[in-house]
Amino acid sequence: MKPSIIVHGGAWNIPDSLVQTSISGCESAAETGYDLLVSGATAVEAAVEAVASMEDNSAFNAGVGSVLSQMGTVEMDAIVMDGTSMRSGAVAAIQSTRNPVRVAKSIMERTDYSMLVGEGALRYADDQRFERCPVETLLVGRELEDYREYVRTGVLRTRKHFSGETDTVGACAVDEKGHVACATSTGGIPRKHPGRVGDSSIIGCGAYADDRVGAASATGWGEQIMAVILSKTAIDFEERLLNPDGACEKAISTLNDRVDGLGGVIMVNVDGRVGTHHNTPRMCFAFVEGVSGNRRAAISV
Ligand code: GLY
């Protein structure tokens, strides 16, 4: 079949200053994944490399560009899920790692575990020869200024100094063999307590994939997303509706109505059709839908 991929760069109050870089970052991530798919790569490889390209892009809160915790640390969460085997791999609160999603993939493929956290995750990344990168490399712009101020004074500015929040990146892909996969990665929420883990690395919440239905990746405020298991909820709606946009809309309605949550979700179904929905002011996404030939990169409002 013709492959498809959809990516998101977060659902939040994306400021005008980040609109263009977010759109071009999502477009480039979708193209990276799609090029891999048409050259025969698996859905897992395409989803992971699309997310890795957004982790390398400081416009997004994942990998380079991640937000700072209350203790001046960068603690990142990521997951990958394979819809064929139903296996997943995840890291949570991992530090000093440029591409947490690649470590998550390694955990899925090389261990019997589903998730490693904190020091243990970093030790695994070291053992697998993933390059360590210092906190100053992961922090950019406002977050780097914040970190330098923290090192100088021992005091971080508080959240009230900032407008809007930042969020999560993700990708969902279906490959030529009709297998689906998804991946999600985040720096979490700004000024979080060290050790706080949100939805992104939790199976069913930040991502879910099942070859019988499709694959989904979520973004938004993690605590509420976990309450409604947003990605699995979106896949469950898709199983009934066979309409990815409609399934995403129903899942976001559940998030909104049941827990007053804010977020977005993207999906690709096993037929290669993509869908999105969000209830935040803006959401950045891009897709290449092989079955229709449609391509788009945009900020949805
Ligand atoms: N969705 C990202 C987080 O809450 O950590």
mmCIF file with all atom_site columns, all heavy atoms in Angstrom, residues 38 44 58 70 82 104 127 130 168 173 178 195 256 289:
data_model
loop_
_atom_site.group_PDB
_atom_site.id
_atom_site.type_symbol
_atom_site.label_atom_id
_atom_site.label_alt_id
_atom_site.label_comp_id
_atom_site.label_asym_id
_atom_site.label_entity_id
_atom_site.label_seq_id
_atom_site.pdbx_PDB_ins_code
_atom_site.Cartn_x
_atom_site.Cartn_y
_atom_site.Cartn_z
_atom_site.occupancy
_atom_site.B_iso_or_equiv
_atom_site.pdbx_formal_charge
_atom_site.auth_seq_id
_atom_site.auth_comp_id
_atom_site.auth_asym_id
_atom_site.auth_atom_id
_atom_site.pdbx_PDB_model_num
ATOM 1  N N   . VAL A 1 38  ? 8.949   5.673  1.710  1.00 0.00 ? 38  VAL A N   1
ATOM 2  C CA  . VAL A 1 38  ? 8.931   5.297  0.288  1.00 0.00 ? 38  VAL A CA  1
ATOM 3  C C   . VAL A 1 38  ? 10.207  4.566  -0.117 1.00 0.00 ? 38  VAL A C   1
ATOM 4  O O   . VAL A 1 38  ? 10.245  3.914  -1.158 1.00 0.00 ? 38  VAL A O   1
ATOM 5  C CB  . VAL A 1 38  ? 8.675   6.510  -0.654 1.00 0.00 ? 38  VAL A CB  1
ATOM 6  C CG1 . VAL A 1 38  ? 7.286   7.043  -0.468 1.00 0.00 ? 38  VAL A CG1 1
ATOM 7  C CG2 . VAL A 1 38  ? 9.704   7.591  -0.485 1.00 0.00 ? 38  VAL A CG2 1
ATOM 8  N N   . VAL A 1 44  ? 7.898   2.058  12.222 1.00 0.00 ? 44  VAL A N   1
ATOM 9  C CA  . VAL A 1 44  ? 8.637   2.399  13.446 1.00 0.00 ? 44  VAL A CA  1
ATOM 10 C C   . VAL A 1 44  ? 9.802   3.332  13.112 1.00 0.00 ? 44  VAL A C   1
ATOM 11 O O   . VAL A 1 44  ? 9.990   4.383  13.741 1.00 0.00 ? 44  VAL A O   1
ATOM 12 C CB  . VAL A 1 44  ? 9.159   1.122  14.157 1.00 0.00 ? 44  VAL A CB  1
ATOM 13 C CG1 . VAL A 1 44  ? 10.183  1.472  15.235 1.00 0.00 ? 44  VAL A CG1 1
ATOM 14 C CG2 . VAL A 1 44  ? 8.006   0.333  14.752 1.00 0.00 ? 44  VAL A CG2 1
ATOM 15 N N   . SER A 1 58  ? 15.174  23.354 17.727 1.00 0.00 ? 58  SER A N   1
ATOM 16 C CA  . SER A 1 58  ? 14.934  24.068 18.987 1.00 0.00 ? 58  SER A CA  1
ATOM 17 C C   . SER A 1 58  ? 13.602  24.816 19.017 1.00 0.00 ? 58  SER A C   1
ATOM 18 O O   . SER A 1 58  ? 13.247  25.398 20.041 1.00 0.00 ? 58  SER A O   1
ATOM 19 C CB  . SER A 1 58  ? 16.078  25.039 19.256 1.00 0.00 ? 58  SER A CB  1
ATOM 20 O OG  . SER A 1 58  ? 16.130  25.997 18.226 1.00 0.00 ? 58  SER A OG  1
ATOM 21 N N   . GLN A 1 70  ? 12.147  22.887 37.943 1.00 0.00 ? 70  GLN A N   1
ATOM 22 C CA  . GLN A 1 70  ? 12.381  23.799 39.080 1.00 0.00 ? 70  GLN A CA  1
ATOM 23 C C   . GLN A 1 70  ? 13.801  23.719 39.612 1.00 0.00 ? 70  GLN A C   1
ATOM 24 O O   . GLN A 1 70  ? 14.265  24.631 40.278 1.00 0.00 ? 70  GLN A O   1
ATOM 25 C CB  . GLN A 1 70  ? 11.438  23.425 40.238 1.00 0.00 ? 70  GLN A CB  1
ATOM 26 C CG  . GLN A 1 70  ? 10.005  23.761 40.005 1.00 0.00 ? 70  GLN A CG  1
ATOM 27 C CD  . GLN A 1 70  ? 9.113   23.140 41.077 1.00 0.00 ? 70  GLN A CD  1
ATOM 28 O OE1 . GLN A 1 70  ? 9.573   22.641 42.106 1.00 0.00 ? 70  GLN A OE1 1
ATOM 29 N NE2 . GLN A 1 70  ? 7.816   23.169 40.815 1.00 0.00 ? 70  GLN A NE2 1
ATOM 30 N N   . ASP A 1 82  ? 4.993   -0.021 18.392 1.00 0.00 ? 82  ASP A N   1
ATOM 31 C CA  . ASP A 1 82  ? 4.909   -0.772 17.141 1.00 0.00 ? 82  ASP A CA  1
ATOM 32 C C   . ASP A 1 82  ? 3.549   -1.472 17.107 1.00 0.00 ? 82  ASP A C   1
ATOM 33 O O   . ASP A 1 82  ? 3.263   -2.329 17.956 1.00 0.00 ? 82  ASP A O   1
ATOM 34 C CB  . ASP A 1 82  ? 6.063   -1.797 17.157 1.00 0.00 ? 82  ASP A CB  1
ATOM 35 C CG  . ASP A 1 82  ? 6.065   -2.722 15.962 1.00 0.00 ? 82  ASP A CG  1
ATOM 36 O OD1 . ASP A 1 82  ? 5.054   -2.776 15.226 1.00 0.00 ? 82  ASP A OD1 1
ATOM 37 O OD2 . ASP A 1 82  ? 7.079   -3.417 15.765 1.00 0.00 ? 82  ASP A OD2 1
ATOM 38 N N   . ALA A 1 104 ? 14.348  5.246  23.423 1.00 0.00 ? 104 ALA A N   1
ATOM 39 C CA  . ALA A 1 104 ? 13.095  4.495  23.602 1.00 0.00 ? 104 ALA A CA  1
ATOM 40 C C   . ALA A 1 104 ? 13.008  3.356  22.591 1.00 0.00 ? 104 ALA A C   1
ATOM 41 O O   . ALA A 1 104 ? 12.623  2.224  22.930 1.00 0.00 ? 104 ALA A O   1
ATOM 42 C CB  . ALA A 1 104 ? 11.903  5.436  23.455 1.00 0.00 ? 104 ALA A CB  1
ATOM 43 N N   . ASP A 1 127 ? 25.295  2.742  28.131 1.00 0.00 ? 127 ASP A N   1
ATOM 44 C CA  . ASP A 1 127 ? 25.703  1.368  27.769 1.00 0.00 ? 127 ASP A CA  1
ATOM 45 C C   . ASP A 1 127 ? 25.540  1.130  26.267 1.00 0.00 ? 127 ASP A C   1
ATOM 46 O O   . ASP A 1 127 ? 26.312  0.387  25.659 1.00 0.00 ? 127 ASP A O   1
ATOM 47 C CB  . ASP A 1 127 ? 24.851  0.334  28.515 1.00 0.00 ? 127 ASP A CB  1
ATOM 48 C CG  . ASP A 1 127 ? 25.177  0.274  29.995 1.00 0.00 ? 127 ASP A CG  1
ATOM 49 O OD1 . ASP A 1 127 ? 26.219  0.848  30.390 1.00 0.00 ? 127 ASP A OD1 1
ATOM 50 O OD2 . ASP A 1 127 ? 24.376  -0.313 30.747 1.00 0.00 ? 127 ASP A OD2 1
ATOM 51 N N   . PHE A 1 130 ? 24.829  5.827  23.275 1.00 0.00 ? 130 PHE A N   1
ATOM 52 C CA  . PHE A 1 130 ? 24.203  7.084  22.844 1.00 0.00 ? 130 PHE A CA  1
ATOM 53 C C   . PHE A 1 130 ? 25.035  8.221  23.429 1.00 0.00 ? 130 PHE A C   1
ATOM 54 O O   . PHE A 1 130 ? 25.416  8.168  24.606 1.00 0.00 ? 130 PHE A O   1
ATOM 55 C CB  . PHE A 1 130 ? 22.755  7.191  23.359 1.00 0.00 ? 130 PHE A CB  1
ATOM 56 C CG  . PHE A 1 130 ? 21.801  6.293  22.626 1.00 0.00 ? 130 PHE A CG  1
ATOM 57 C CD1 . PHE A 1 130 ? 21.454  5.041  23.118 1.00 0.00 ? 130 PHE A CD1 1
ATOM 58 C CD2 . PHE A 1 130 ? 21.241  6.704  21.414 1.00 0.00 ? 130 PHE A CD2 1
ATOM 59 C CE1 . PHE A 1 130 ? 20.577  4.208  22.442 1.00 0.00 ? 130 PHE A CE1 1
ATOM 60 C CE2 . PHE A 1 130 ? 20.360  5.868  20.725 1.00 0.00 ? 130 PHE A CE2 1
ATOM 61 C CZ  . PHE A 1 130 ? 20.032  4.630  21.234 1.00 0.00 ? 130 PHE A CZ  1
ATOM 62 N N   . THR A 1 168 ? 5.333   19.123 23.462 1.00 0.00 ? 168 THR A N   1
ATOM 63 C CA  . THR A 1 168 ? 5.432   17.812 22.862 1.00 0.00 ? 168 THR A CA  1
ATOM 64 C C   . THR A 1 168 ? 5.414   17.743 21.323 1.00 0.00 ? 168 THR A C   1
ATOM 65 O O   . THR A 1 168 ? 4.696   18.490 20.672 1.00 0.00 ? 168 THR A O   1
ATOM 66 C CB  . THR A 1 168 ? 4.226   17.015 23.443 1.00 0.00 ? 168 THR A CB  1
ATOM 67 O OG1 . THR A 1 168 ? 4.248   17.151 24.837 1.00 0.00 ? 168 THR A OG1 1
ATOM 68 C CG2 . THR A 1 168 ? 4.279   15.586 23.089 1.00 0.00 ? 168 THR A CG2 1
ATOM 69 N N   . ALA A 1 173 ? 2.756   6.742  11.647 1.00 0.00 ? 173 ALA A N   1
ATOM 70 C CA  . ALA A 1 173 ? 3.069   6.327  10.274 1.00 0.00 ? 173 ALA A CA  1
ATOM 71 C C   . ALA A 1 173 ? 2.456   4.980  9.962  1.00 0.00 ? 173 ALA A C   1
ATOM 72 O O   . ALA A 1 173 ? 2.256   4.140  10.852 1.00 0.00 ? 173 ALA A O   1
ATOM 73 C CB  . ALA A 1 173 ? 4.592   6.248  10.086 1.00 0.00 ? 173 ALA A CB  1
ATOM 74 N N   . GLY A 1 178 ? 1.553   -1.970 5.421  1.00 0.00 ? 178 GLY A N   1
ATOM 75 C CA  . GLY A 1 178 ? 0.314   -1.747 6.169  1.00 0.00 ? 178 GLY A CA  1
ATOM 76 C C   . GLY A 1 178 ? 0.492   -1.831 7.673  1.00 0.00 ? 178 GLY A C   1
ATOM 77 O O   . GLY A 1 178 ? -0.499  -1.916 8.413  1.00 0.00 ? 178 GLY A O   1
ATOM 78 N N   . GLY A 1 195 ? 11.317  14.920 38.477 1.00 0.00 ? 195 GLY A N   1
ATOM 79 C CA  . GLY A 1 195 ? 10.690  13.607 38.589 1.00 0.00 ? 195 GLY A CA  1
ATOM 80 C C   . GLY A 1 195 ? 9.261   13.581 38.084 1.00 0.00 ? 195 GLY A C   1
ATOM 81 O O   . GLY A 1 195 ? 8.688   12.497 37.944 1.00 0.00 ? 195 GLY A O   1
ATOM 82 N N   . ASN A 1 256 ? -12.036 17.214 26.907 1.00 0.00 ? 256 ASN A N   1
ATOM 83 C CA  . ASN A 1 256 ? -12.629 18.505 27.276 1.00 0.00 ? 256 ASN A CA  1
ATOM 84 C C   . ASN A 1 256 ? -13.758 18.314 28.297 1.00 0.00 ? 256 ASN A C   1
ATOM 85 O O   . ASN A 1 256 ? -13.803 18.981 29.331 1.00 0.00 ? 256 ASN A O   1
ATOM 86 C CB  . ASN A 1 256 ? -13.182 19.145 26.000 1.00 0.00 ? 256 ASN A CB  1
ATOM 87 C CG  . ASN A 1 256 ? -13.551 20.583 26.188 1.00 0.00 ? 256 ASN A CG  1
ATOM 88 O OD1 . ASN A 1 256 ? -12.677 21.435 26.232 1.00 0.00 ? 256 ASN A OD1 1
ATOM 89 N ND2 . ASN A 1 256 ? -14.837 20.860 26.317 1.00 0.00 ? 256 ASN A ND2 1
ATOM 90 N N   . GLU A 1 289 ? -0.242  12.107 2.965  1.00 0.00 ? 289 GLU A N   1
ATOM 91 C CA  . GLU A 1 289 ? -1.221  11.021 2.950  1.00 0.00 ? 289 GLU A CA  1
ATOM 92 C C   . GLU A 1 289 ? -1.105  10.316 1.603  1.00 0.00 ? 289 GLU A C   1
ATOM 93 O O   . GLU A 1 289 ? -1.634  10.795 0.593  1.00 0.00 ? 289 GLU A O   1
ATOM 94 C CB  . GLU A 1 289 ? -2.622  11.603 3.163  1.00 0.00 ? 289 GLU A CB  1
ATOM 95 C CG  . GLU A 1 289 ? -3.686  10.571 3.458  1.00 0.00 ? 289 GLU A CG  1
ATOM 96 C CD  . GLU A 1 289 ? -5.054  11.221 3.636  1.00 0.00 ? 289 GLU A CD  1
ATOM 97 O OE1 . GLU A 1 289 ? -5.558  11.823 2.655  1.00 0.00 ? 289 GLU A OE1 1
ATOM 98 O OE2 . GLU A 1 289 ? -5.613  11.131 4.724  1.00 0.00 ? 289 GLU A OE2 1
#
